[in-house]
Amino acid sequence: MFNLAEYPLSFRENELEPFMSAETVKIHHNRHLATYIANLNKLIANTKYANMDLHEIIVNSVNDESATKIFNNAAQVYNHEFFFNCLGRGHNFIPDVITDAFGGAAEFKEKFKSVANDVFGSGWVWLIRRDEKFEIIATKNADTPIAHGIKPLLTLDLWEHAYYLDWQNRRGDFVDAFLENLVDWKFVLENMDI
Ligand code: MN
């Protein structure tokens, strides 16, 4: 059984204002993530997935056509835990390793915004490292890099529930606010193992 208490926020609910309101944080964490967890618990009960950890559920269900709902809910639990860990105030300055890889902070942001802008409907933008090279990719709906053997470094949730209360239709402004003010680069660097 999975439990919301295993996925605490590392920041206060109002700490990300005005870029992400306390209302958005509360609904996103206490309702959306909580619902994915509740659904996952119901779906895996009495199945071969019941005693697996989250990573095992994701990599085993991704190619199981009878387990699409299990995959979607498990991947969303993982994606949200990772996303909330990417957020914070105080370590928002892009590190040299990223500016060096993309040819500058502005170039990194433009690339990230371009990939985000191409996401039609619900999905996620990810900074990943593949074959020692940094890349920015998108996944649709619940899909997640770890289902495909890729370790993520940073993500942004582009589902409407992530921004609509604060930014309405201005998703691009939300992406800008995230890149300028909300990325906890300390967490991203910890994911790099360098
Ligand atoms: Mn979300």
Side-chain angles (χ1 to χ4, degrees), residues 28-29 32-33 36 76 79-80 83-84 123-124 157-162:
H28 204 169
H29 185 263
H32 286 277
L33 175 55
Y36 293 126
Q76 284 293 77
N79 290 347
H80 280 87
F83 172 59
F84 288 127
W124 300 80
D157 187 343
L158 286 180
W159 287 52
E160 280 192 348
H161 65 234

Side-chain angles (χ1 to χ4, degrees), residues 1-2 40-41 44 47-61 64 70 74:
M1 291 283 281
F2 297 91
L40 181 60
N41 284 332
I44 61 175
T47 74
K48 67 174 181 177
Y49 297 101
N51 294 314
M52 295 184 189
D53 68 26
L54 192 60
H55 184 268
E56 288 171 332
I57 293 173
I58 290 168
V59 297
N60 282 285
S61 62
D64 179 351
I70 289 175

Side-chain angles (χ1 to χ4, degrees), residues 7-8 14-15 39-40 46 48 57 67 71 80 84 98 106 136 144 149 152 172 176-177:
Y7 305 97
N14 66 353
E15 196 172 330
N39 288 343
L40 181 60
N46 304 312
K48 67 174 181 177
I57 293 173
F71 174 79
H80 280 87
F84 288 127
I98 296 301
I136 297 168
T144 184
D176 280 335

